[in-house]
Amino acid sequence: MKMAAPTASKAASLGCNNKPAFPELDFRSGARVEELNKLIQEFTRHDQREYDDQRALEIHTAKDFIFSMLGMVQKLDQKLPVANEYLLLSGGVREGVVDLDLDELNVYARGTDYDMDFTLLVPALKLHDRNQPVTLDMRHSALCHSWLSLRLFDEGTISKWKGCCTIADHINGATNYFFSPTKVADWFYDSISIVLSEIQKKPQRGMPKVEKVEKNGTIISIILGVGSSRMLYDIVPVVSFKGWPAVAQSWLMENHFWDGKITEEEVISGFYLVPACSYKGKKDNEWRLSFARSEVQLKKCISGSLMQAYQACKAIIIKLLSRPKAISPYHLRSMMLWACDRLPASYLAQEDYAAHFLLGLIDDLQHCLVNKMCPNYFIPQCNMLEHLSEETVMLHARKLSSVRSDPAEHLRTAIEHVKAANRLTLKLQRRGSTTSIPSPQSDGGDPNQPDDRLAKKLQQLVTENPGKSISVFINPDDVTRPHFRIDDKFF
């Protein structure tokens, strides 16, 4: 006997061709995807800081102070380039803004030690006069690292920086000077200390209070108190190049998620050597290649929901996987860039998929740990996890397994941490709210003078460009005229 096909009304009642009556669930944890999305949104809301006019003025005052200080460092012995271009990034070295995984970094916490953090890349040397791919001396180094011979520079530069070099005799009898990241960092810290000591002998009204100056390996960390704000600046001495390194040339031949969204010229406009060596490298000689300038451009092509998932994932893992040291936020960022290449842009653009992206990033990270494989995005032949022991990767993989089993609970913990940090910040703000902070360049006169206008402009830039990185071009002989660049816009 034949069964009649169900009518349309019967099919509807059986749930055919309709969305299921039950909510979308994460198979592994059983968590409701809708709940995870809400938790990510809540985390984002608490993690993003809004700046009123007073806070914007304090940010500007601190930035002015740092740039004035660097101008004075240049004048000490004329080592730094006279007209320099700094890359100012929102977020400190500990936040994985640059690929600098240093063992010597002291632990600072937002809310407890600072309210806002920045990384400032300061070129000690610039090599900007070449159009062809830059060939570096990588014979003595691990992948993604290089030594830097001053033979690439003129005699005047060699004479200035001899004291910050290690010396090796060449086969033909000539002396070869290799720019030393550790010696450069020592010189930079000593110079900053001298300048700050001089500045503090003649304090000016409204000048930031220097609460802490510490050398963390090759990074100089300065915490400034300005009114009710505490700002951490991680200052990194770097070598700046225009163009692109030959070792990463093959990466340009591949297809990437940013194709057609930004130009190749924007992506390969320059790179850096930062003061960090490989795990088996010679600390006094070895620099690490950094593509921070390119990453600023690529960030423009990443969807808002994926960035929210990345920030939430970073907050979860940064403490959970801190000991023993193995995974940094920079590893997670690399995995996100690879995911952007791997997955369709239409999928990654979905606004309500933040939960899927968070779970995917955790899965990716666990996969990389178990296989002890995380390729550098720009130099894929460089595996950033190959130095880890089997015990370390399995320990962290098990920790991530606990996150994957209950992502909602770990998100709630991350939310509580960021709320606690914000409460600490607000408490200190209220304590200092009776003090108004004039700019160091004003005498507390007419509040409608240019400093106040610039503060409002800065506030507008911050609110219109959340999470973006800011490049600043400044002449140390004229610190009154800063020029902001957010991505490719000038202000």
Side-chain angles (χ1 to χ4, degrees):
M1 181 177 164
K2 284 187 177 180
M3 295 286 291
T7 63
S9 58
K10 274 188 179 177
S13 67
L14 291 170
C16 301
N17 302 319
N18 275 347
K19 290 184 90 172
F22 51 83
E24 188 181 0
L25 301 177
D26 168 39
F27 187 91
R28 173 69 190 90
S29 65
R32 293 177 57 163
V33 169
E34 184 183 3
E35 182 191 8
L36 294 179
N37 273 327
K38 286 179 179 176
L39 288 169
I40 293 169
Q41 292 296 330
E42 185 181 355
F43 172 81
T44 301
R45 193 167 63 252
H46 291 295
D47 191 49
Q48 288 179 346
R49 279 87 73 196
E50 291 187 5
Y51 306 126
D52 57 16
D53 286 348
Q54 181 65 24
R55 177 58 68 91
L57 181 56
E58 290 166 356
I59 293 170
H60 166 60
T61 300
K63 176 193 62 61
D64 258 9
F65 180 84
I66 292 291
F67 290 155
S68 298
M69 176 198 76
L70 291 171
M72 293 173 72
V73 168
Q74 192 278 335
K75 288 175 182 176
L76 274 182
D77 51 15
Q78 307 293 312
K79 277 190 167 73
L80 293 180
V82 174
N84 219 351
E85 187 177 0
Y86 310 140
L87 187 64
L88 179 61
L89 304 162
S90 55
V93 165
R94 293 154 193 80
E95 291 290 308
V97 173
V98 285
D99 187 10
L100 266 173
D101 193 16
L102 302 177
D103 292 330
E104 303 93 332
L105 280 176
N106 289 343
V107 178
Y108 303 146
R110 184 160 76 86
T112 306
D113 301 299
Y114 63 90
D115 307 315
M116 286 163 289
D117 52 340
F118 303 94
T119 298
L120 187 64
L121 304 189
V122 179
L125 288 175
K126 297 195 299 183
L127 200 60
H128 284 186
D129 56 351
R130 296 183 171 202
N131 293 319
Q132 69 268 31
V134 181
T135 303
L136 297 166
D137 187 353
M138 307 180 81
R139 294 169 299 171
H140 317 284
S141 308
L143 272 167
C144 285
H145 296 79
S146 179
W147 291 22
L148 181 67
S149 169
L150 288 194
R151 287 183 170 194
L152 294 170
F153 299 86
D154 57 67
E155 285 299 322
T157 301
I158 294 172
S159 177
K160 273 187 205 173
W161 286 105
K162 272 183 185 178
C164 291
C165 292
T166 59
I167 300 170
D169 290 328
H170 201 263
I171 299 170
N172 62 10
T175 302
N176 204 349
Y177 295 95
F178 287 102
F179 206 42
S180 168
T182 52
K183 291 186 178 185
V184 169
D186 288 342
W187 164 82
F188 204 26
Y189 176 70
D190 291 343
S191 299
I192 285 175
S193 300
I194 291 168
V195 165
L196 289 177
S197 176
E198 288 300 311
I199 290 173
Q200 287 167 329
K201 285 177 186 174
K202 300 174 184 177
Q204 297 177 12
R205 185 179 175 197
M207 189 173 77
K209 180 186 176 188
V210 181
E211 296 189 355
K212 192 174 287 187
V213 184
E214 290 186 341
K215 185 167 169 289
N216 292 285
T218 51
I219 309 304
I220 293 86
S221 298
I222 300 176
I223 296 179
L224 299 176
V226 191
S228 57
S229 302
R230 297 159 302 157
M231 280 159 250
L232 166 64
Y233 270 84
D234 283 326
I235 301 177
V236 187
V238 300
V239 181
S240 173
F241 294 85
K242 280 283 192 283
W244 198 246
V247 69
Q249 201 69 21
S250 61
W251 176 80
L252 294 174
M253 305 298 110
E254 306 293 331
N255 293 323
H256 296 290
F257 72 98
W258 47 267
D259 292 338
K261 297 176 182 174
I262 51 177
T263 66
E264 187 173 286
E265 288 71 26
E266 289 175 286
V267 174
I268 65 170
S269 62
F271 69 100
Y272 298 101
L273 294 182
V274 295
C277 77
S278 62
Y279 287 86
K280 292 183 180 177
K282 189 175 179 183
K283 282 191 174 184
D284 288 343
N285 281 37
E286 199 170 81
W287 299 77
R288 180 178 295 167
L289 276 77
S290 168
F291 301 92
R293 186 181 291 276
S294 303
E295 287 160 3
V296 169
Q297 298 298 325
L298 298 185
K299 195 174 174 183
K300 294 190 290 187
C301 305
I302 297 174
S303 71
S305 50
L306 179 55
M307 281 305 301
Q308 287 179 3
Y310 163 75
Q311 295 292 352
C313 190
K314 184 174 73 169
I316 290 170
I317 71 161
I318 204 164
K319 288 187 174 68
L320 186 74
L321 305 186
S322 61
R323 293 287 181 272
K325 198 157 193 174
I327 293 292
S328 78
Y330 190 83
H331 291 108
L332 187 65
R333 181 188 292 198
S334 300
M335 293 168 202
M336 177 175 65
L337 292 173
W338 282 119
C340 289
D341 273 358
R342 185 177 71 241
L343 296 163
S346 56
Y347 169 74
L348 294 174
Q350 297 297 314
E351 290 184 6
D352 56 349
Y353 273 33
H356 296 286
F357 301 153
L358 171 69
L359 299 173
L361 287 170
I362 296 168
D363 289 340
D364 259 10
L365 188 50
Q366 195 167 20
H367 174 84
C368 289
L369 281 166
V370 168
N371 291 282
K372 216 162 74 169
M373 173 64 73
C374 180
N376 181 284
Y377 182 66
F378 299 93
I379 306 176
Q381 60 269 37
C382 171
N383 175 13
M384 297 189 291
L385 297 183
E386 69 178 351
H387 62 281
L388 296 180
S389 69
E390 295 294 333
E391 292 79 10
T392 297
V393 295
M394 290 313 296
L395 172 66
H396 285 315
R398 282 195 293 271
K399 287 180 181 177
L400 275 179
S401 179
S402 71
V403 176
R404 194 61 186 80
S405 298
D406 195 353
E409 184 57 33
H410 284 84
L411 275 171
R412 290 188 195 100
T413 302
I415 290 167
E416 286 309 310
H417 282 159
V418 75
K419 284 166 73 173
N422 289 341
R423 282 195 297 270
L424 273 171
T425 296
L426 282 171
K427 187 177 177 183
L428 285 165
Q429 277 181 321
R430 289 193 194 102
R431 197 179 295 168
S433 62
T434 53
T435 331
S436 70
I437 303 299
S439 165
Q441 294 173 351
S442 75
D443 294 317
D446 183 356
N448 295 316
Q449 288 302 307
D451 277 330
D452 189 49
R453 293 200 301 272
L454 184 53
K456 288 178 179 174
K457 182 66 177 174
L458 181 62
Q459 183 204 4
Q460 182 186 344
L461 296 184
V462 168
T463 48
E464 289 177 357
N465 301 276
K468 289 193 178 178
S469 302
I470 303 173
S471 178
V472 181
F473 184 82
I474 190 164
N475 184 339
D477 293 320
D478 179 13
V479 295
T480 62
R481 298 174 62 237
H483 304 279
F484 300 95
R485 184 181 72 194
I486 300 181
D487 294 336
D488 54 354
K489 299 180 197 168
F490 285 85
F491 301 88

